[in-house]
């Protein structure tokens, strides 16, 4: 099996729950299958009967190899493919309660304990051991060698052959309630991969890291075949580059280029393609990096961060100043490919070409050094002119031609406060018009005629707007009748760090909002109505707190694709076990990450922490939270793991309201430089079972970027609700912890709760409701009390049908049944895939459980729009 084929099979197993196996004749004995069943059950999975039968029809060696791969692939999705051994192996018991006393003991041992001397604390002789390579001398009477997995003093991994370390009894399997996820047999790998490829190409927004990896796997595996699968239109320009960049690397130019050219419509498309071909990020958002100088140097920058570094044998203070590098390592461009790229650029209107290149001026100056446009100035004169404008001079040193940009003209109108001129200019670019609609209406002020003209123009342009834009405006505009509790902006970047400010804008008048929203809703229903119709649409009311994905480019790679800003109920009686795992590269620097839980009351007053400097948080005589200890390195290949148990019932009992999961980069390499780094949470009832129980993992997500502090989630203890934040804070260069992050936590967390709680972002329930009203003849709504059914009446419009379902006052069926017969056309949009559906159903399920989802949330955002 080639690496490309293996990557594709991994994607289809983790995303679709499908295993592809050739048919063989004689089945193996059932005892082998029972072993496979038990191994998968340990991970929370179960095989379908047809997969089990097909797997049994392999020779024993092939069976063992296939079963091992299935188990390892599924374990990796939950983080269970690593050994998770915390500092305190007997966690959650046997964790020292007095962290200060423990710290004092460690300091004294570090500085005063010598080999072959009596123990400083118990005065015994012959009980000390010198650990390697740290050379710390520890007493096996004062430190429990059966409880520690690393040096008790420096908390770094050491030689486990030391007699100090004693065996710990094997951890038992926890007594946990388990809902198994089913995996099934896939019959035709090409027939399964092609719809996934087409769905990813049809996405109406930038792909998440997981989606990028899936697209690359399909392209790498099928190569030439994938060219025939490319649709006529790929809505997101960035995704065009992600499709064709790998194909250009893999195949001959002549085989790919005729398919590429129709998708290159602007100079930026060409630039993105060059980036993807060079295996760089086609988002063109710049590469964050740092300029390091010694403090006192002439180029010292007060905006930088102070730190210490070992330079030329001495410790000195340095300053790390961030900046964004707008260039990438350009792959070798053949002469034939350079001519093809320049030919496409030459085909664009001259002024549009120059203006588009000026939008990414730094990139084009850099890439121009590899395209050599001056060599072909006679053949491609418009390209040569555009590069002269971008560079500010010709290759001969002559001044660049005079050029006025569209945005320069627009900003002049903005500066004058001329709403009519703004509207006239922006009407030629519908997307820009929509983004500045709010600003134009506020600029028009009390001029009713100007407001009416802007609103009428907006309504006329609505059919030309992208669906993500319409979904955003559909929920955003109704909130503009009054100031927002907080404004948060989501700039481009590899990770999300929303920028906030208070809302000082003038509210918009109803006469601007109402017609605009009416036009948006009508267009969304019409657009969805052009998609395939279904006899039955099943819609989960629980999706009302799961948001429609946005800014997916920065979403953390995750086993469950929970959109940022979503919230989930936590079942009663559970303990949250948070986990963190990281591993340094084979020749990487020693790196220390820390897992903490910060605790707050109703007013966001700090109440305490569970972290490396306070291993246990106690209140009212109860142990509310307990840490498994702090490991200060993560050597390759095993890495390191940390855990924190949070007892929700006890936290509520002592008056706590919010618990925030915090992951800090304390020292060493940044998140994205590590060999691997991920975190997550388990819902536990039996905390005495295995430290890491894959069956109980509910969320597992990757760490990325170079920020110092990551806030993945917070728990509202009063409402027993988990809020998915997925946001980063810059933090410090090193030595980050909850104490240094308090200001960021009490700023970011309340702001995010207020922002997402204001209804400014559309929920999956709202989107699903529109799908149901536009595409379904019969709609079944799962609520807490059961399933209600609604049947579209003759002559009932989608808008009226949607209003009736949303009102839920008069269902046609108080107790409806879900169709199960073969051939039923069913679209199911679910939070939990815990129902039986007929084969061939179209399914979105946030937690797939027993179902096999055929789509992700982003696939429910159609890209259909006018030219």
């Amino acid at each position: 099996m080639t690496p490309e084929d293996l990557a594709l099979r991994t994607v289809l197993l983790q995303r679709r729950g499908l295993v592809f196996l050739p048919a063989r004749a004689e089945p193996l004995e059932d005892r082998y299958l029972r072993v496979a069943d038990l191994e998968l059950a340990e991970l929370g999975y179960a095989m379908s009967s047809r997969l089990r039968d097909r797997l049994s029809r392999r020779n024993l060696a092939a069976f063992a190899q296939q079963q091992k791969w299935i188990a390892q692939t599924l374990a990796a999705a939950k983080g269970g493919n690593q050994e998770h051994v915390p500092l305190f192996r007997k966690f959650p018991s046997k964790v020292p309660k007095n962290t200060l006393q423990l710290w004092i003991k460690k300091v004294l041992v570090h500085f005063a304990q010598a080999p072959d001397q009596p123990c400083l604390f118990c005065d015994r002789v012959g009980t000390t051991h010198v650990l390697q390579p740290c050379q710390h001398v520890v007493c096996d009477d004062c430190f429990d060698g059966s409880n520690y997995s690393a040096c008790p003093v420096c908390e770094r991994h050491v030689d486990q052959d030391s007699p100090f370390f004693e065996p710990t009894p094997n951890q038992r399997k926890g007594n946990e309630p388990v809902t198994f996820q089913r995996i099934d047999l896939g019959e035709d790998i090409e027939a399964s991969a092609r719809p996934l490829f087409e769905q990813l190409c049809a996405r109406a927004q930038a792909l998440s890291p997981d989606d990028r990896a899936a697209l690359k796997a399909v392209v790498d595996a099928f190569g030439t075949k994938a060219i025939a699968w490319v649709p006529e239109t790929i809505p997101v320009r960035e995704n065009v580059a992600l499709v064709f960049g790998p194909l250009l690397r893999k195949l001959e130019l002549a085989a790919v280029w005729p398919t590429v050219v129709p998708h290159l419509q602007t100079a930026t498309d060409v630039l993105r393609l060059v980036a993807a071909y060079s295996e760089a990020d086609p988002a063109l958002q710049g590469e964050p990096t740092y300029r390091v100088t010694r403090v006192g140097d002439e180029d010292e920058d007060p905006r930088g961060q102070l730190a210490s570094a070992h330079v030329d044998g001495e410790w000195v203070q340095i300053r790390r100043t961030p900046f964004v590098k707008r260039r990438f390592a350009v792959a070798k461009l053949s002469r034939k490919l350079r001519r093809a790229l320049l030919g496409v650029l030459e085909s664009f209107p001259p002024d549009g070409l120059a203006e588009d290149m000026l939008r990414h001026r730094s990139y084009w100056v850099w890439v121009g050094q590899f395209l050599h446009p001056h060599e072909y100035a006679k053949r491609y004169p418009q390209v040569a002119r555009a590069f002269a404008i971008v560079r500010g001079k010709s290759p001969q040193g002559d001044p660049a031609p005079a050029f006025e940009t569209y945005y320069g003209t627009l900003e002049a109108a903005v500066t004058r406060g001329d709403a009519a001129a703004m509207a006239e200019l922006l009407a030629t670019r519908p997307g820009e018009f929509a983004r500045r609609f709010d600003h134009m209406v506020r600029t028009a002020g009390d001029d009713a005629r100007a407001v009416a003209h802007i609103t009428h123009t907006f309504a006329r342009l609505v059919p030309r707007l992208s669906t993500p834009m319409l979904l955003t405006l559909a929920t955003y505009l109704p909130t503009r009748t009054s100031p927002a509790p907080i404004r948060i902006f989501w700039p481009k970047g590899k990770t999300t760090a929303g920028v906030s400010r208070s809302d000082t804008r003038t509210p918009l008048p109803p006469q601007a909002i109402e017609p605009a929203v009416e036009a948006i809703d009508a267009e969304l229903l019409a657009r969805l109505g052009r998609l395939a119709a279904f006899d039955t649409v099943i819609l989960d009311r629980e999706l009302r707190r799961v948001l429609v994905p946005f800014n997916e480019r920065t979403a953390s790679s995750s086993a469950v694709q929970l959109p940022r800003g979503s919230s989930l109920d936590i079942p009663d009686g559970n303990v949250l076990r948070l986990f963190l795992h990281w591993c340094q590269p084979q020749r990487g620097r020693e790196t220390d990450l820390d897992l903490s839980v910060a605790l707050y009351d109703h007013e966001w007053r700090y109440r305490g922490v569970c972290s490396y400097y306070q291993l246990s948080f106690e209140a009212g005589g109860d142990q509310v939270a307990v840490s498994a200890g702090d490991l200060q390195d993560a050597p390759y290949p095993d890495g390191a793991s940390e855990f924190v148990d949070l007892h929700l019932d006890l936290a509520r009992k002592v008056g706590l309201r919010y618990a925030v999961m915090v992951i800090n980069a304390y020292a060493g390499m940044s998140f994205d430089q590590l060999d691997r780094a991920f975190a997550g949470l388990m819902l536990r009832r039996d905390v005495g079972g295995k430290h890491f129980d894959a069956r109980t993992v509910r969320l597992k997500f990757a760490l990325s970027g170079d920020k110092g502090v990551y806030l993945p989630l917070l728990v509202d203890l009063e409402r027993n609700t988990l809020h998915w934040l997925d946001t980063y804070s810059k933090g410090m260069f090193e030595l980050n912890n909850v104490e240094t992050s308090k200001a960021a936590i009490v700023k970011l967390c309340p702001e995010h709760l207020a922002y997402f709680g204001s209804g400014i972002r559309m929920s999956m329930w709202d989107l699903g409701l529109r799908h149901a009203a536009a595409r379904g003849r019969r709609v079944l709504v799962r609520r807490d009390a059961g399933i209600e059914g609604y049947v579209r009446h003759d002559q009932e419009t989608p808008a009226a049908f949607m209003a009736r379902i949303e009102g839920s006052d008069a269902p046609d069926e108080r107790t409806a049944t879900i169709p199960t017969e073969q051939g039923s056309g069913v679209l199911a949009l679910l939070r939990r895939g815990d129902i039986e559906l007929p084969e061939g159903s179209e399914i979105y399920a946030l937690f797939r459980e027993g179902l096999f989802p055929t789509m992700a949330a982003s696939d429910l955002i159609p890209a259909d729009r006018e030219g």
Side-chain angles (χ1 to χ4, degrees), residues 434 458 461-477 516-517 519-525 527 762 770 862 864-865:
F458 175 83
L461 295 174
V462 159
R464 298 176 61 188
L465 300 180
S466 69
T467 306
M469 175 74 75
L470 294 179
L471 294 175
T472 298
L473 292 173
T475 49
Y476 163 77
L477 287 176
V517 172
I520 290 169
D521 283 339
E523 175 60 26
L524 282 173
L525 288 171
R527 197 169 291 188
M762 182 173 286
R770 287 166 168 79
D864 183 24
R865 57 177 167 176

Short mmCIF file of all heavy atoms in Angstrom, two decimals, residues 434 458 461-477 516-517 519-525 527 762 770 862 864-865:
data_model
loop_
_atom_site.label_atom_id
_atom_site.label_comp_id
_atom_site.label_asym_id
_atom_site.label_seq_id
_atom_site.Cartn_x
_atom_site.Cartn_y
_atom_site.Cartn_z
N ALA A 434 -21.92 44.71 0.36
CA ALA A 434 -22.52 44.06 1.53
C ALA A 434 -21.70 44.29 2.78
O ALA A 434 -22.25 44.55 3.87
CB ALA A 434 -22.68 42.56 1.26
N PHE A 458 -28.90 47.38 -2.25
CA PHE A 458 -28.49 46.15 -1.55
C PHE A 458 -29.42 44.99 -1.92
O PHE A 458 -28.96 43.89 -2.24
CB PHE A 458 -28.51 46.38 -0.04
CG PHE A 458 -28.22 45.14 0.76
CD1 PHE A 458 -26.92 44.73 1.00
CD2 PHE A 458 -29.26 44.37 1.26
CE1 PHE A 458 -26.66 43.58 1.73
CE2 PHE A 458 -29.01 43.22 1.99
CZ PHE A 458 -27.70 42.83 2.23
N LEU A 461 -28.69 43.58 -5.21
CA LEU A 461 -27.42 42.85 -5.31
C LEU A 461 -27.42 41.54 -4.52
O LEU A 461 -26.49 40.73 -4.68
CB LEU A 461 -26.28 43.73 -4.78
CG LEU A 461 -25.96 45.00 -5.58
CD1 LEU A 461 -24.91 45.83 -4.86
CD2 LEU A 461 -25.49 44.65 -6.99
N VAL A 462 -28.42 41.31 -3.69
CA VAL A 462 -28.45 40.12 -2.83
C VAL A 462 -28.22 38.82 -3.61
O VAL A 462 -27.48 37.95 -3.16
CB VAL A 462 -29.76 40.08 -2.01
CG1 VAL A 462 -30.07 38.67 -1.54
CG2 VAL A 462 -29.65 41.01 -0.82
N PRO A 463 -28.86 38.61 -4.79
CA PRO A 463 -28.62 37.34 -5.51
C PRO A 463 -27.18 37.12 -5.93
O PRO A 463 -26.80 35.99 -6.26
CB PRO A 463 -29.54 37.47 -6.74
CG PRO A 463 -30.60 38.43 -6.34
CD PRO A 463 -29.91 39.42 -5.46
N ARG A 464 -26.37 38.17 -5.91
CA ARG A 464 -24.97 38.01 -6.32
C ARG A 464 -24.02 37.84 -5.14
O ARG A 464 -22.81 37.75 -5.32
CB ARG A 464 -24.55 39.22 -7.16
CG ARG A 464 -25.35 39.38 -8.45
CD ARG A 464 -24.98 40.64 -9.19
NE ARG A 464 -23.59 40.65 -9.58
CZ ARG A 464 -22.98 41.72 -10.11
NH1 ARG A 464 -23.65 42.86 -10.28
NH2 ARG A 464 -21.70 41.66 -10.45
N LEU A 465 -24.56 37.77 -3.94
CA LEU A 465 -23.72 37.59 -2.75
C LEU A 465 -23.51 36.12 -2.45
O LEU A 465 -24.38 35.28 -2.73
CB LEU A 465 -24.37 38.28 -1.54
CG LEU A 465 -24.60 39.78 -1.65
CD1 LEU A 465 -25.25 40.31 -0.38
CD2 LEU A 465 -23.29 40.52 -1.92
N SER A 466 -22.38 35.80 -1.85
CA SER A 466 -22.10 34.42 -1.48
C SER A 466 -23.02 34.00 -0.34
O SER A 466 -23.48 34.83 0.46
CB SER A 466 -20.64 34.27 -1.05
OG SER A 466 -20.42 34.94 0.17
N THR A 467 -23.26 32.71 -0.24
CA THR A 467 -24.14 32.21 0.83
C THR A 467 -23.57 32.49 2.22
O THR A 467 -24.33 32.88 3.12
CB THR A 467 -24.40 30.71 0.65
OG1 THR A 467 -24.90 30.48 -0.67
CG2 THR A 467 -25.41 30.20 1.65
N PRO A 468 -22.26 32.29 2.49
CA PRO A 468 -21.76 32.65 3.83
C PRO A 468 -22.03 34.10 4.19
O PRO A 468 -22.35 34.40 5.34
CB PRO A 468 -20.25 32.36 3.72
CG PRO A 468 -20.14 31.30 2.69
CD PRO A 468 -21.21 31.63 1.68
N MET A 469 -21.92 35.00 3.20
CA MET A 469 -22.21 36.40 3.46
C MET A 469 -23.67 36.59 3.83
O MET A 469 -24.01 37.31 4.79
CB MET A 469 -21.86 37.24 2.23
CG MET A 469 -22.23 38.71 2.33
SD MET A 469 -21.12 39.60 3.41
CE MET A 469 -19.67 39.73 2.36
N LEU A 470 -24.57 35.92 3.11
CA LEU A 470 -26.00 36.04 3.41
C LEU A 470 -26.32 35.49 4.80
O LEU A 470 -27.11 36.07 5.54
CB LEU A 470 -26.82 35.30 2.35
CG LEU A 470 -26.76 35.86 0.93
CD1 LEU A 470 -27.60 35.00 -0.01
CD2 LEU A 470 -27.25 37.30 0.89
N LEU A 471 -25.72 34.36 5.15
CA LEU A 471 -25.98 33.77 6.47
C LEU A 471 -25.49 34.69 7.58
O LEU A 471 -26.15 34.82 8.63
CB LEU A 471 -25.30 32.41 6.58
CG LEU A 471 -25.82 31.31 5.65
CD1 LEU A 471 -24.98 30.05 5.79
CD2 LEU A 471 -27.28 31.00 5.95
N THR A 472 -24.35 35.32 7.36
CA THR A 472 -23.83 36.25 8.36
C THR A 472 -24.75 37.44 8.53
O THR A 472 -25.11 37.83 9.65
CB THR A 472 -22.42 36.72 7.95
OG1 THR A 472 -21.55 35.59 7.90
CG2 THR A 472 -21.88 37.74 8.94
N LEU A 473 -25.18 38.03 7.41
CA LEU A 473 -26.02 39.23 7.48
C LEU A 473 -27.42 38.91 8.00
O LEU A 473 -28.06 39.76 8.63
CB LEU A 473 -26.11 39.88 6.10
CG LEU A 473 -24.81 40.50 5.58
CD1 LEU A 473 -24.98 40.94 4.13
CD2 LEU A 473 -24.38 41.67 6.45
N ALA A 474 -27.91 37.69 7.74
CA ALA A 474 -29.26 37.33 8.18
C ALA A 474 -29.42 37.41 9.69
O ALA A 474 -30.51 37.72 10.20
CB ALA A 474 -29.60 35.91 7.70
N THR A 475 -28.35 37.11 10.43
CA THR A 475 -28.42 37.21 11.89
C THR A 475 -27.77 38.47 12.43
O THR A 475 -28.13 38.95 13.51
CB THR A 475 -27.76 35.98 12.54
OG1 THR A 475 -26.46 35.78 11.94
CG2 THR A 475 -28.59 34.74 12.35
N TYR A 476 -26.84 39.04 11.67
CA TYR A 476 -26.16 40.24 12.13
C TYR A 476 -27.06 41.48 12.06
O TYR A 476 -27.16 42.24 13.03
CB TYR A 476 -24.90 40.47 11.29
CG TYR A 476 -24.33 41.87 11.39
CD1 TYR A 476 -23.61 42.28 12.50
CD2 TYR A 476 -24.54 42.80 10.37
CE1 TYR A 476 -23.09 43.55 12.59
CE2 TYR A 476 -24.03 44.09 10.44
CZ TYR A 476 -23.30 44.46 11.56
OH TYR A 476 -22.82 45.73 11.66
N LEU A 477 -27.73 41.68 10.93
CA LEU A 477 -28.51 42.91 10.75
C LEU A 477 -29.62 43.08 11.79
O LEU A 477 -29.82 44.20 12.29
CB LEU A 477 -29.07 42.98 9.33
CG LEU A 477 -28.04 43.27 8.23
CD1 LEU A 477 -28.68 43.21 6.85
CD2 LEU A 477 -27.38 44.63 8.45
N ALA A 516 -33.76 44.72 3.96
CA ALA A 516 -32.53 43.98 3.69
C ALA A 516 -32.66 42.53 4.16
O ALA A 516 -32.32 41.59 3.43
CB ALA A 516 -31.34 44.65 4.36
N VAL A 517 -33.16 42.34 5.38
CA VAL A 517 -33.33 40.99 5.92
C VAL A 517 -34.37 40.21 5.13
O VAL A 517 -34.21 39.01 4.87
CB VAL A 517 -33.69 41.05 7.42
CG1 VAL A 517 -34.04 39.66 7.95
CG2 VAL A 517 -32.55 41.65 8.23
N ALA A 519 -35.06 40.53 1.95
CA ALA A 519 -34.43 40.11 0.69
C ALA A 519 -33.47 38.95 0.91
O ALA A 519 -33.39 38.02 0.10
CB ALA A 519 -33.71 41.30 0.07
N ILE A 520 -32.73 39.00 2.02
CA ILE A 520 -31.77 37.93 2.33
C ILE A 520 -32.51 36.61 2.56
O ILE A 520 -32.13 35.56 2.01
CB ILE A 520 -30.93 38.31 3.57
CG1 ILE A 520 -29.98 39.45 3.22
CG2 ILE A 520 -30.15 37.09 4.08
CD1 ILE A 520 -29.31 40.07 4.44
N ASP A 521 -33.55 36.64 3.39
CA ASP A 521 -34.30 35.41 3.68
C ASP A 521 -34.92 34.82 2.42
O ASP A 521 -34.89 33.60 2.21
CB ASP A 521 -35.39 35.68 4.73
CG ASP A 521 -34.82 35.80 6.13
OD1 ASP A 521 -33.71 35.27 6.36
OD2 ASP A 521 -35.48 36.39 7.00
N ALA A 522 -35.47 35.68 1.59
CA ALA A 522 -36.08 35.19 0.34
C ALA A 522 -35.03 34.53 -0.55
O ALA A 522 -35.26 33.47 -1.14
CB ALA A 522 -36.78 36.33 -0.38
N GLU A 523 -33.85 35.15 -0.65
CA GLU A 523 -32.79 34.59 -1.49
C GLU A 523 -32.26 33.27 -0.92
O GLU A 523 -32.01 32.31 -1.67
CB GLU A 523 -31.65 35.60 -1.62
CG GLU A 523 -30.43 35.09 -2.37
CD GLU A 523 -30.72 34.66 -3.80
OE1 GLU A 523 -31.70 35.17 -4.40
OE2 GLU A 523 -29.97 33.83 -4.34
N LEU A 524 -32.10 33.21 0.41
CA LEU A 524 -31.60 31.96 1.02
C LEU A 524 -32.58 30.81 0.76
O LEU A 524 -32.16 29.70 0.39
CB LEU A 524 -31.40 32.16 2.52
CG LEU A 524 -30.14 32.91 2.95
CD1 LEU A 524 -30.17 33.18 4.45
CD2 LEU A 524 -28.88 32.12 2.59
N LEU A 525 -33.87 31.05 0.95
CA LEU A 525 -34.85 29.99 0.72
C LEU A 525 -34.89 29.60 -0.76
O LEU A 525 -35.00 28.41 -1.09
CB LEU A 525 -36.23 30.44 1.20
CG LEU A 525 -36.40 30.52 2.73
CD1 LEU A 525 -37.72 31.19 3.08
CD2 LEU A 525 -36.30 29.14 3.36
N ARG A 527 -32.40 29.86 -2.88
CA ARG A 527 -31.14 29.18 -3.18
C ARG A 527 -31.16 27.74 -2.67
O ARG A 527 -30.73 26.81 -3.36
CB ARG A 527 -29.99 29.98 -2.55
CG ARG A 527 -28.64 29.65 -3.09
CD ARG A 527 -27.61 30.67 -2.61
NE ARG A 527 -27.81 31.99 -3.20
CZ ARG A 527 -26.97 33.00 -3.07
NH1 ARG A 527 -25.86 32.84 -2.37
NH2 ARG A 527 -27.22 34.17 -3.63
N MET A 762 -25.42 32.76 13.16
CA MET A 762 -26.51 31.82 12.90
C MET A 762 -26.18 30.45 13.48
O MET A 762 -25.04 29.98 13.43
CB MET A 762 -26.76 31.71 11.40
CG MET A 762 -27.92 30.77 11.04
SD MET A 762 -28.35 30.81 9.27
CE MET A 762 -29.19 32.39 9.16
N ARG A 770 -34.09 26.38 7.53
CA ARG A 770 -34.23 26.89 6.16
C ARG A 770 -34.11 25.74 5.15
O ARG A 770 -34.85 25.72 4.16
CB ARG A 770 -33.18 27.96 5.90
CG ARG A 770 -33.50 29.29 6.63
CD ARG A 770 -32.31 30.23 6.67
NE ARG A 770 -32.70 31.56 7.11
CZ ARG A 770 -32.90 31.90 8.38
NH1 ARG A 770 -32.78 31.00 9.34
NH2 ARG A 770 -33.26 33.14 8.70
N PRO A 862 -24.58 26.19 0.71
CA PRO A 862 -24.39 26.09 -0.74
C PRO A 862 -23.65 27.30 -1.29
O PRO A 862 -23.71 28.40 -0.74
CB PRO A 862 -25.82 26.02 -1.28
CG PRO A 862 -26.64 26.73 -0.26
CD PRO A 862 -25.99 26.43 1.07
N ASP A 864 -24.13 28.43 -4.43
CA ASP A 864 -24.85 28.93 -5.60
C ASP A 864 -25.05 30.44 -5.51
O ASP A 864 -25.57 30.96 -4.53
CB ASP A 864 -26.21 28.23 -5.69
CG ASP A 864 -26.99 28.63 -6.91
OD1 ASP A 864 -26.38 29.06 -7.90
OD2 ASP A 864 -28.23 28.52 -6.87
N ARG A 865 -24.64 31.13 -6.53
CA ARG A 865 -24.88 32.58 -6.64
C ARG A 865 -24.79 32.98 -8.10
O ARG A 865 -24.20 32.27 -8.91
CB ARG A 865 -23.88 33.38 -5.81
CG ARG A 865 -22.42 33.12 -6.17
CD ARG A 865 -21.51 34.02 -5.37
NE ARG A 865 -20.14 33.58 -5.47
CZ ARG A 865 -19.12 34.23 -4.93
NH1 ARG A 865 -19.34 35.34 -4.28
NH2 ARG A 865 -17.90 33.79 -5.05
#
